[in-house]
Amino acid sequence: MKVAYLLGVAGTDVPVEDIMKMLKPHWLGVNAYAFIVTNNGYVLVHPDLRPVFQGILKPSYNSVDMTDVELMDDGQGPHNFSKKLLEFREKLVQGNITSSISLPMKQHFDNMKRVMRGIRFYYYKPIRDSPFTLVVSLPDHYGRYQVDAVVETHLLKSSKGKLNFFEGKNWKVHPDWLYCKYRMDTEETQPFISPEDEVEHFFAKTQSAGWNWPTQYPPGDRNLFLSLVFDAKVTS
């Protein structure tokens, strides 16, 4: 009979900000959002999760229930949760169902100065090999159309040399969107001054001879980056 002994435990930390960037908010739009629920009903990532107050981490920052941030528009008082909302929460906790549901909800804007009421559609799916469930929340009649405007960088080369639509300092990119990112185990590990500096450097790299967008380790969101190039081209 063999006896196994526990020799140690290995772990790693992943910043929540990096997870939020992977949710691709530019796909969802300004009125939709995504969040992640744990197998105990707490939110791991949510746009209304505010773990810090006046620079101090809240004691219960890691035990905020999804029913505290998803507010149903049913006329009930605080913590008098609707049966439908509790059933929805239970399905997320179980983590073995891929489905959708529509509920009348309330959502605040402008630091809780305004409130929007309406039907929201929730699409949820368990994250494989994890105790988490991913949820995407969309307003009614939303996300049915998409403007597909991209410019392939290899078509921008001219006989006069490489083009650059990102000259000057009078432009910015969204600070929370992942346009491009180099792997940290390559030779290109020099820190960039700003996200704009990284975009400009990456754009110049895409115009190199024989360059193709990597598929095994993509350096960012291809469609987002090419859409940015399109915007820069038409406004240059």
Side-chain angles (χ1 to χ4, degrees):
M1 179 178 178
K2 294 183 178 180
V3 179
Y5 296 96
L6 179 64
L7 300 179
V9 177
T12 183
D13 292 330
V14 178
V16 174
E17 293 79 6
D18 290 352
I19 299 177
M20 296 181 69
K21 289 180 180 180
M22 294 176 64
L23 297 179
K24 298 186 177 182
H26 60 279
W27 278 12
L28 300 176
V30 295
N31 294 319
Y33 57 90
F35 59 97
I36 297 176
V37 178
T38 67
N39 58 354
N40 53 18
Y42 299 151
V43 289
L44 176 67
V45 174
H46 193 284
D48 207 23
L49 178 62
R50 298 182 293 274
V52 178
F53 178 71
Q54 295 182 349
I56 301 176
L57 191 64
K58 298 178 182 178
S60 58
Y61 76 96
N62 58 351
S63 59
V64 177
D65 198 273
M66 66 148 291
T67 54
D68 291 326
V69 291
E70 291 295 319
L71 306 179
M72 196 165 177
D73 187 16
D74 57 358
Q76 300 291 338
H79 293 277
N80 188 11
F81 303 119
S82 165
K83 180 180 178 181
K84 290 185 177 180
L85 183 61
L86 294 178
E87 291 176 349
F88 176 38
R89 178 188 182 277
E90 180 62 24
K91 292 179 180 179
L92 300 182
V93 169
Q94 292 176 1
N96 56 5
I97 302 174
T98 298
S99 187
S100 63
I101 188 175
S102 60
L103 296 170
M105 305 298 289
K106 294 183 290 187
Q107 184 181 7
H108 68 83
F109 296 92
D110 297 337
N111 294 323
M112 300 187 181
K113 296 178 181 178
R114 296 189 298 146
V115 176
M116 181 178 71
R117 304 168 62 184
I119 301 296
R120 296 193 71 89
F121 287 83
Y122 294 88
Y123 301 87
Y124 53 95
K125 181 178 182 179
I127 300 177
R128 186 177 58 184
D129 299 328
S130 79
F132 309 128
T133 299
L134 174 65
V135 186
V136 175
S137 176
L138 303 176
D140 194 12
H141 303 295
Y142 186 82
R144 299 182 180 180
Y145 304 97
Q146 178 180 350
V147 177
D148 189 13
V150 300
V151 172
E152 295 288 352
T153 53
H154 69 274
L155 300 178
L156 297 176
K157 299 175 185 177
S158 67
S159 58
K160 298 180 181 180
K162 296 180 180 179
L163 300 176
N164 191 355
F165 303 122
F166 301 100
E167 294 178 344
K169 302 298 180 182
N170 60 342
W171 60 279
K172 294 287 185 181
V173 296
H174 198 292
D176 299 327
W177 292 2
L178 183 60
Y179 296 87
C180 52
K181 197 72 175 179
Y182 288 108
R183 295 178 60 206
M184 298 308 294
D185 59 350
T186 65
E187 71 280 0
E188 297 174 276
T189 58
Q190 297 297 323
F192 294 98
I193 300 176
S194 64
E196 291 77 22
D197 185 37
E198 187 170 18
V199 166
E200 189 173 4
H201 176 83
F202 188 77
F203 178 74
K205 185 178 179 66
T206 61
Q207 297 192 53
S208 302
W211 189 91
N212 292 305
W213 192 276
T215 56
Q216 185 176 5
Y217 298 106
D221 190 300
R222 181 177 181 274
N223 283 339
L224 178 61
F225 181 80
L226 296 181
S227 297
L228 175 67
V229 174
F230 175 85
D231 289 341
K233 179 177 182 296
V234 298
T235 57
S236 62

